Amino acid sequence: MKTIQKGIDLAKPGDTVFLKVNPEPYSEPGINFKKGGAPGAPIVLDGQGATLSGLVQYGIEEWKPLEGASGVYGTRYDFPLRFKQVSATKDYEKSAFSIVFFDGKPGSCAQSLEALEPGQYFLSLETADSGGTLYLKLPEGKTLSNTQILMPRRAHTALHVGKCYVTIKNLTSAWASQDSFSTTKSHDLVFENVRGCYNMDQGMSHHGSQVVTRNSIFDHNGATGVRDVYDDCDSTYEDCVFFENLVAGVDAMGRSHRFVRCLFLDNFGSGLSVSKQVAAEVEDCAFKGAPDRAGVRGWRCVFSVKNSSLEKLKTGISIAESKAVITGNVFRHCEVNEDWYFPEGWAANLAEGRLRSGENLFVGGVFKLSNKEPVVLWEAFAARTGQDAASRYIGTVSSSMELASGRIESEGRTFGSAIPATLPEKYQKLSSPDPRVPEPPKPR
């Protein structure tokens, strides 16, 4: 087949479309499943380790010179509003994320049009939603005629599924101006060993779909690694990694979501955000990030966090107007603050049975009863927050307490997740902004 789309269009229930692994990524725009499989006979797209890239060359005809600014050019470009907001933050400056490449080398984002330096770009928002202009300043000594400029294709989601009984596996997708993978109102969908990265919006986005995702990674996305929305969206994530996304690892706003053995690492916002009447379960997961981040944020939802590890976070778990069960977890060197947990106060939630928090281990960290009050002792915090007798505080963890499984043993009890809070070896090179995405998933 000449195109991936043609192969998908010809596939029947039970068929598998295999992609040939090319030295360079596929640059086919907007792949769309227009039909699905059947129960027990899904249509399968097996990338066999291939990559889809949204990067395309923007030639001379795309650019208009900015009057009065030597070497500065602009082109009309629609981009997600959140990406524009994020691009103006220090988080974006610290990330390995670029959407403009000059002769294969990543440009950097200026904080204003006036501050543009050679080899930089700037996003100018001109409408209330996503319309704007992308400006750039060419590297020293370069002209439009002798510079290859690569950017994500406009208004581009790499792969969309709107039909049922479809499986996507062994595929990387990167540098879409919207999402790598998107689904709409479909069920019995499976994503396995996929990677969604360096997109201006999400690595994966589900709109009212029922989806299972396994052994996959979503990293370096301009908004979230994954975003699930609409009241009838149900999703399960098993053995997945959400790494260095600029807004959150996952934004769960659908109906129900389950996370098992997942790693949420160094996301610039929260690891997992749950809101709007969502039911979410977190089991045996690891959360780690910068000291000003949150592991889990829950707002107006029902969720549980069990047997998980939360390390070096401003807030391990933040809960507001929710019903929650928090048991068997390890909080390692987090700042734990009553106001961060429940803005309306722990006591009321405990009395109403909306919160059950027990059998948790706190290692190091700081305890406060409110943002305005000084640090308090563990005993005062435990009493105020309803920690049961099985919960405890220790200053440090000795080597004898670290179990081979990754959990911590204290006084005959085990706490936390078996998932190490470090990036798996197969993903160690993910910070490279190489536009070819040199490390695709290996077929499983």
Side-chain angles (χ1 to χ4, degrees), residues 352-363:
E352 296 169 8
R354 291 169 53 193
L355 170 67
R356 183 164 72 84
S357 181
E359 300 182 28
N360 296 303
L361 177 65
F362 296 80
V363 181

Side-chain angles (χ1 to χ4, degrees), residues 216-295:
S216 298
I217 180 165
F218 304 95
D219 62 283
H220 299 96
N221 291 289
T224 58
V226 171
R227 193 167 194 245
D228 296 344
V229 297
Y230 295 172
D231 293 342
D232 49 352
C233 183
D234 304 301
S235 60
T236 297
Y237 298 89
E238 300 172 350
D239 304 291
C240 292
V241 176
F242 309 95
F243 173 53
E244 288 194 357
N245 297 287
L246 290 173
V247 174
V250 176
D251 188 3
M253 301 172 62
R255 178 169 54 194
S256 66
H257 310 280
R258 187 167 182 260
F259 303 87
V260 182
R261 300 181 302 278
C262 291
L263 171 62
F264 299 78
L265 179 63
D266 293 336
N267 294 286
F268 286 88
S270 55
L272 170 63
S273 176
V274 186
S275 60
K276 296 185 177 180
Q277 311 304 319
V278 169
E281 298 178 19
V282 177
E283 176 80 23
D284 194 13
C285 293
F287 297 82
K288 186 178 180 180
D292 58 343
R293 312 299 178 190

Side-chain angles (χ1 to χ4, degrees), residues 52 80 82-83 97 156-160 168 171-183 191 194-207 213 216-228 237 241-251 267:
L52 307 176
R82 283 186 298 176
F83 186 82
F97 195 137
H156 174 240
T157 289
L159 189 150
H160 175 259
I168 312 294
L171 183 64
T172 288
S173 177
W175 276 290
S177 57
Q178 295 174 346
D179 308 331
S180 271
F181 306 100
S182 177
T183 72
F191 289 83
V194 302
R195 180 185 176 197
C197 56
Y198 295 106
N199 301 287
M200 295 175 70
D201 213 358
Q202 275 81 229
M204 177 179 284
S205 181
H206 301 304
H207 306 80
T213 304
S216 298
I217 180 165
F218 304 95
D219 62 283
H220 299 96
N221 291 289
T224 58
V226 171
R227 193 167 194 245
D228 296 344
Y237 298 89
V241 176
F242 309 95
F243 173 53
E244 288 194 357
N245 297 287
L246 290 173
V247 174
V250 176
D251 188 3
N267 294 286

Side-chain angles (χ1 to χ4, degrees), residues 117-146:
E117 297 288 339
Q120 289 189 323
Y121 59 92
F122 175 72
L123 300 170
S124 175
L125 187 67
E126 295 165 2
T127 67
D129 46 21
S130 61
T133 299
L134 188 149
Y135 293 97
L136 56 79
K137 188 167 187 177
L138 294 173
E140 293 285 1
K142 288 290 186 176
T143 65
L144 288 176
S145 60
N146 66 9

Side-chain angles (χ1 to χ4, degrees), residues 82-96:
R82 283 186 298 176
F83 186 82
K84 165 58 185 173
Q85 294 168 337
V86 167
S87 71
T89 67
K90 292 184 178 180
D91 286 345
Y92 186 76
E93 287 186 48
K94 292 185 289 185
S95 73

Side-chain angles (χ1 to χ4, degrees), residues 31 38 90 97 124 164 180 211 267 290 333 338 342-343 347 395 397 439:
I31 299 166
K90 292 184 178 180
F97 195 137
S124 175
C164 306
S180 271
V211 188
N267 294 286
H333 305 289
E338 181 192 355
F342 266 106
V397 176
E439 297 292 329

